[in-house]
Amino acid sequence: MSIGTTSAPQGGQGQQPPRTAVVVEDEPTIADAVARRLRAEGYTVETAGDGPSGVELCERVNPDVVVLDVMLPGFDGLEVCRRVQAARPVPVLMLTARDDETDKLVGLGVGADDYMTKPFSMRELVARVNGLVRRVERARALVGAPAPSAEAMRFPVSDGELEIDRAQRRVRRAGAEVHLTPTEFDLLVCLAESPRTVLTREKLLEEVWDWADASGTRTVDSHVKALRRKLGADLVRTVHGVGYAFEPTGGQETS
């Protein structure tokens, strides 16, 4: 097992402590490059080179975000993601060498929030990592917030009611709780706040991922597919060539 550490600069970050990122990648060149770039962005970065050490490192440092390769020695990144998320929910950006939609859906299914295909742009990786961290921080700020910003949304659906509790970040369909990743939850809220309104992929990237780049629209498509697998295909309508619309049944949302 190989574990390395690079520390964030101690300069003017105010009173906010540096965010911690864990990079689990068995290719030293890639791991070092990602660590250096995140360090330059103010992160404290620790790295691991295989699955078991990646899990141990996440348990030890409780990172704010994890950058995780799919193909790892020991056990793969999917198993790392399962174990890390079981211990403590944390935003995970997965790196994959295969541009295969099935692989990406599997990754999202075990708790990853986003993915990038190698080779990738360091600038885009930093943007996605920062977006993941900002969404978690916004979610923490919302917990306990007064209505109306945190009030639950309820919609009639084919088998009862869909409830989206923004304060507790919980979703129930027909009384059964549905476990969503932070990104899936934010995507659902973004769509549900404008029912029956078509939102472009670019708009969803801007609102949910905090970055606008047309090259990332396939990320939106994969997350919508993952959301449909968990909530049912009837809730999100595809408008081909444009984007997606949230489509509850039976009229307007209830109070």
Side-chain angles (χ1 to χ4, degrees):
M1 298 182 185
S2 61
I3 298 178
T5 304
T6 54
S7 298
Q10 298 301 312
Q13 296 293 328
Q15 296 183 349
Q16 179 179 347
R19 299 158 171 165
T20 299
V22 162
V23 178
V24 188
E25 166 64 64
D26 66 326
E27 296 185 43
T29 302
I30 296 177
D32 291 345
V34 172
R36 283 197 304 269
R37 186 59 184 265
L38 291 178
R39 175 177 174 246
E41 294 291 319
Y43 287 85
T44 293
V45 184
E46 300 203 31
T47 64
D50 58 58
S53 61
V55 172
E56 184 277 329
L57 181 58
C58 290
E59 291 174 347
R60 178 164 56 83
V61 305
N62 291 325
D64 297 294
V65 63
V66 178
V67 179
L68 175 62
D69 189 26
V70 173
M71 299 302 295
L72 293 168
F75 45 75
D76 65 18
L78 299 176
E79 182 61 24
V80 173
C81 190
R82 288 189 191 95
R83 297 190 186 195
V84 168
Q85 297 290 16
R88 183 182 70 92
V90 58
V92 173
L93 171 63
M94 298 201 79
L95 306 178
T96 174
R98 301 198 332 170
D99 191 15
D100 186 282
E101 191 72 10
T102 300
D103 287 352
K104 294 166 184 175
L105 286 174
V106 171
L108 298 175
V110 298
D113 293 278
D114 203 355
Y115 64 83
M116 295 185 70
T117 303
K118 298 177 182 179
F120 52 81
S121 157
M122 282 292 178
R123 177 176 172 272
E124 184 175 336
L125 181 140
V126 168
R128 295 202 190 192
V129 167
N130 286 337
L132 287 173
V133 173
R134 283 196 300 268
R135 289 204 303 279
V136 171
E137 291 173 347
R138 285 202 306 268
R140 289 171 180 165
L142 183 59
V143 173
S149 62
E151 68 184 1
M153 295 186 288
R154 295 180 175 85
F155 300 89
V157 292
S158 58
D159 52 352
E161 181 181 75
L162 178 73
E163 178 185 357
I164 306 171
D165 188 331
R166 285 173 287 186
Q168 297 187 43
R169 295 182 66 84
R170 301 175 74 172
V171 175
R172 298 176 184 86
R173 176 163 184 162
E177 186 158 357
V178 181
H179 296 281
L180 302 181
T181 69
T183 301
E184 290 166 354
F185 182 88
D186 291 340
L187 176 59
L188 176 62
V189 168
C190 186
L191 290 165
E193 285 179 336
S194 302
R196 300 179 180 83
T197 300
V198 180
L199 300 180
T200 66
R201 292 172 174 84
E202 292 75 18
K203 178 66 172 177
L204 290 169
L205 278 173
E206 181 181 350
E207 294 294 326
V208 178
W209 280 264
D210 279 333
W211 55 280
D213 184 347
S215 69
T217 55
R218 292 182 63 187
T219 296
V220 177
D221 297 341
S222 294
H223 278 81
V224 167
K225 289 179 181 178
L227 200 58
R228 284 171 169 159
R229 288 200 308 174
K230 293 181 178 182
L231 284 172
D234 58 324
L235 286 180
V236 181
R237 175 169 60 94
T238 299
V239 181
H240 293 288
V242 182
Y244 298 97
F246 179 72
E247 296 284 349
T249 60
Q252 298 297 320
E253 66 268 28
T254 60
S255 60

